[in-house]
Amino acid sequence: MTDRKKVGLIRVLTTEDDDFLQAHGRIIESEFPSLSVTSRCIPEQYEGVHDDETERIAIGKVAAEGRRFAQEGFDAVYISCAGDPGVRPLQEELSIPVIGAGIAAAHCALVWNLPVGVLGITDDTPREMKQILGTRIVGSLRPEAIHTTLDLLRPEAADWLTESARQLQKAGAKILVLACTGLATINAAPMLSQRTGIPVIDPLRAAGAMLSNILRYGGRKTCLVSD
């Protein structure tokens, strides 16, 4: 495909492992072949974004990478973090679409109009998700042993996540939204859907779907709002 749209992907976890860095881009390209993804990570955040302080530190770094992609002629910028650090300022500043994983996942959840359980690596629902989903959220959980995205790579992580997902079900959740793109790296959504029997929204794939459609039909400037 010669007319693939160029997406600049920003990872908020610092890594020197190129295979790991490219993981999210590979998933998007494999499922949305109209997109060509270039991935970069922000510097000096080896545990990623997992609380208010790490998010605060990341915002300026994300903004710098986003501007760089725009200056290099990319068609869109995607911040691969469900906390959406820097997304809103970049949407205001840049003339190209800027998508955040958490915003995309939350908007996808709205389509179902069901009570939502949020499963991630922070104690609270990310701000943008909370604003978009509002009273549809029946609970937000972080497995007790998981503190950063790196913990998701531990062999016990699947069982920890399943336990939290079932707790959210008991609280009334009829759909789960994953609030960490590291859960896409380990392909948690289909596993959790199979174990719980309810839909699970993967933020990485939600963002990929939005990018694909926006770049095909939405023109140069598109902002997702949370009114």
Side-chain angles (χ1 to χ4, degrees):
M1 185 178 295
T2 59
D3 59 346
R4 297 167 74 196
K5 298 296 186 179
K6 293 169 55 181
V7 175
L9 185 154
I10 302 171
R11 296 201 63 174
V12 299
L13 175 69
T14 305
T15 179
E16 283 82 36
D17 183 336
D18 188 65
D19 185 66
F20 186 78
L21 174 63
Q22 304 300 331
H24 290 181
R26 284 197 302 269
I27 292 171
I28 290 175
E29 288 183 337
S30 68
E31 300 195 15
F32 305 97
S34 64
L35 304 178
S36 173
V37 180
T38 297
S39 299
R40 296 171 184 158
C41 64
I42 62 174
E44 298 180 356
Q45 295 213 201
Y46 291 95
E47 292 186 349
V49 171
H50 55 86
D51 57 23
D52 288 344
E53 179 63 12
T54 52
E55 179 179 346
R56 182 190 66 78
I57 295 170
I59 289 173
K61 302 173 186 179
V62 169
E65 289 295 341
R67 292 185 195 107
R68 181 180 166 200
F69 276 126
Q71 290 165 0
E72 292 174 3
F74 280 75
D75 297 298
V77 172
Y78 163 55
I79 292 87
S80 198
C81 175
D84 302 307
V87 171
R88 295 303 186 186
L90 280 174
Q91 285 181 333
E92 292 295 324
E93 178 182 344
L94 302 184
S95 62
I96 58 175
V98 178
I99 303 297
I103 294 170
H107 278 284
C108 284
L110 289 179
V111 175
W112 293 80
N113 195 29
L114 293 171
V116 175
V118 179
L119 180 60
I121 63 170
T122 58
D123 292 323
D124 298 317
T125 303
R127 279 186 294 274
E128 292 285 354
M129 277 192 174
K130 186 181 295 185
Q131 184 175 348
I132 295 165
L133 294 171
T135 58
R136 292 175 179 84
I137 298 173
V138 299
S140 180
L141 283 180
R142 168 187 62 82
E144 186 175 353
I146 291 178
H147 301 280
T148 76
T149 189
L150 298 176
D151 293 324
L152 297 172
L153 303 177
R154 296 170 63 178
E156 310 94 335
D159 290 335
W160 295 337
L161 292 163
T162 300
E163 181 181 354
S164 292
R166 287 173 175 158
Q167 289 179 41
L168 289 167
Q169 273 189 289
K170 290 178 182 178
K174 302 297 183 184
I175 185 172
L176 297 177
V177 176
L178 302 183
C180 175
T181 54
L183 291 163
T185 308
I186 64 170
N187 207 28
M191 178 274 292
L192 290 171
S193 184
Q194 182 178 32
R195 292 186 181 188
T196 62
I198 63 175
V200 181
I201 294 179
D202 180 319
L204 177 62
R205 289 168 172 86
M210 287 194 173
L211 285 162
S212 178
N213 281 278
I214 285 168
L215 291 174
R216 182 173 296 179
Y217 304 114
R220 293 285 291 174
K221 179 65 175 179
T222 305
C223 290
L224 294 178
V225 297
S226 55
D227 298 343

